Amino acid sequence: MNNPYLPYPVRIQRVEIATEDKSLRTFDFEFIHPEHAEAFTYLPGQFAELSVPGYGEAPIGIASSPTEGSHLTFTVSKAGVVTSKLHSMEEGEIMGVRGPLGHPYPLGEMEGKNIVILAGGYAVTTLRSTMVWLLHPDNRDKYGEITFVYGARTPGMLLYKDLLEEWDARSDVNTYITIDNEVEGWDKYVGFVPQIADQVSPKPDNAVALVCGPPVMIKFTQPVLDKMGWTGDQIIMSLENRMKCGVGICGRCNVGPYYVCKDGPVFTKAQLDELPKEY
């Protein structure tokens, strides 16, 4: 990124209504200029500011993996002025992407270890990026066992269903997809993510856990991991709800000594334990 304040122009390549309540849409963007695609080098866990002229910009986690090519994928919740405008935009329209921003998941440090991913609801976006990256043929052999637990309220609220089926069919991934309550025709897991994590009981030996979800999921998942013997430096979380301007200038993302946009959004649980509980 040459200038952190300047967005790259991108074209909306694809729009998909992602959930049954229509609150989430998934967008694929293509860069207008090839040199911008080349300059936008990122890794799973990072985010970008999506900008719409006249409306502003919003920080959103990158859902695509760099192993998928030069296009970018974001799943956006309709929650404010910018994202509402974005939800009204159609394929072919032009907007801006500023980034990549923040630090990614420590994929290099995770090599040689078993990976446990615990995801809830909309927060699965950057973990989608991570899973696609981990399972790419260039990367899969660098990691041990991969366990993926993902939950949503209903089948219609699950994101990236095609990929979930693909991962579920693989012999080198332990996939556990769950919904909150029984639904006719649902043949997978039923229960909240912490409950499923308790059943799966992933061992902490030589392992790293990536945990991302709504606060209530994280609150009840932590004791489950504690019970199994996971330590704070083995658990990696993302404070995506605190992302703001992306460069730590506006001062709205600071938690203790950290600026989430600049120093995060990825932190270990051990780091977060040292911070004020305002996150």
Side-chain angles (χ1 to χ4, degrees), residues 22-25 76-81 83-85 87-88 122:
K22 301 181 180 178
S23 64
L24 297 172
R25 291 190 180 212
V76 180
S77 173
K78 186 178 180 181
V81 174
T83 53
S84 293
K85 175 58 181 174
H87 268 235
S88 73
Y122 167 46

Side-chain angles (χ1 to χ4, degrees), residues 46-276:
Q46 290 189 278
F47 68 102
E49 298 280 348
L50 304 187
S51 60
V52 182
Y55 291 85
E57 62 180 11
I60 308 290
I62 303 171
S64 52
S65 163
T67 56
E68 294 179 287
S70 61
H71 77 276
L72 299 175
T73 300
F74 296 84
T75 297
V76 180
S77 173
K78 186 178 180 181
V81 174
V82 178
T83 53
S84 293
K85 175 58 181 174
L86 188 52
H87 268 235
S88 73
M89 296 177 71
E90 298 178 351
E91 292 174 4
E93 292 195 72
I94 307 296
M95 50 175 292
V97 173
R98 181 165 66 85
L101 302 165
H103 289 284
Y105 289 114
L107 298 164
E109 296 173 26
M110 290 159 51
E111 288 186 12
K113 298 183 178 178
N114 297 325
I115 310 298
V116 176
I117 292 179
L118 304 174
Y122 167 46
V124 74
T125 56
T126 56
L127 296 175
R128 174 209 182 276
S129 172
T130 307
M131 280 291 288
V132 172
W133 196 91
L134 292 172
L135 297 177
H136 188 272
D138 288 349
N139 301 318
R140 181 64 189 92
D141 290 346
K142 300 175 186 173
Y143 302 91
E145 190 173 271
I146 295 177
T147 300
F148 180 76
V149 180
Y150 170 43
R153 295 199 308 271
T154 65
M157 294 302 290
L158 289 166
L159 295 173
Y160 318 127
K161 293 187 185 67
D162 289 348
L163 278 176
L164 298 181
E165 287 182 15
E166 185 183 311
W167 299 339
D168 197 27
R170 291 181 65 131
S171 60
D172 61 345
V173 182
N174 303 313
T175 305
Y176 303 88
I177 307 302
T178 183
I179 58 172
D180 290 356
N181 298 296
E182 293 273 4
V183 170
E184 189 176 345
W186 178 256
D187 60 357
K188 301 188 185 300
Y189 289 79
V190 175
F192 300 113
V193 168
Q195 294 173 300
I196 304 304
D198 197 19
Q199 290 178 33
V200 173
S201 193
K203 291 184 171 46
D205 307 330
N206 190 37
V208 173
L210 309 183
V211 182
C212 205
V216 67
M217 184 206 98
I218 292 173
K219 176 182 177 182
F220 288 101
T221 298
Q222 189 55 48
V224 172
L225 295 176
D226 289 344
K227 185 178 70 175
M228 297 172 197
W230 289 78
T231 58
D233 59 344
Q234 292 179 286
I235 301 168
I236 299 170
M237 305 168 75
S238 181
L239 299 188
E240 293 181 7
N241 60 334
R242 295 299 298 255
M243 298 183 309
K244 298 297 179 188
C245 75
V247 289
I249 295 297
C250 74
R252 296 175 62 194
C253 69
N254 65 300
V255 180
Y258 296 121
Y259 288 92
V260 171
C261 286
K262 191 175 65 172
D263 304 314
V266 172
F267 296 94
T268 65
K269 178 65 169 48
Q271 286 176 300
L272 297 180
D273 284 342
E274 300 297 319
L275 298 179

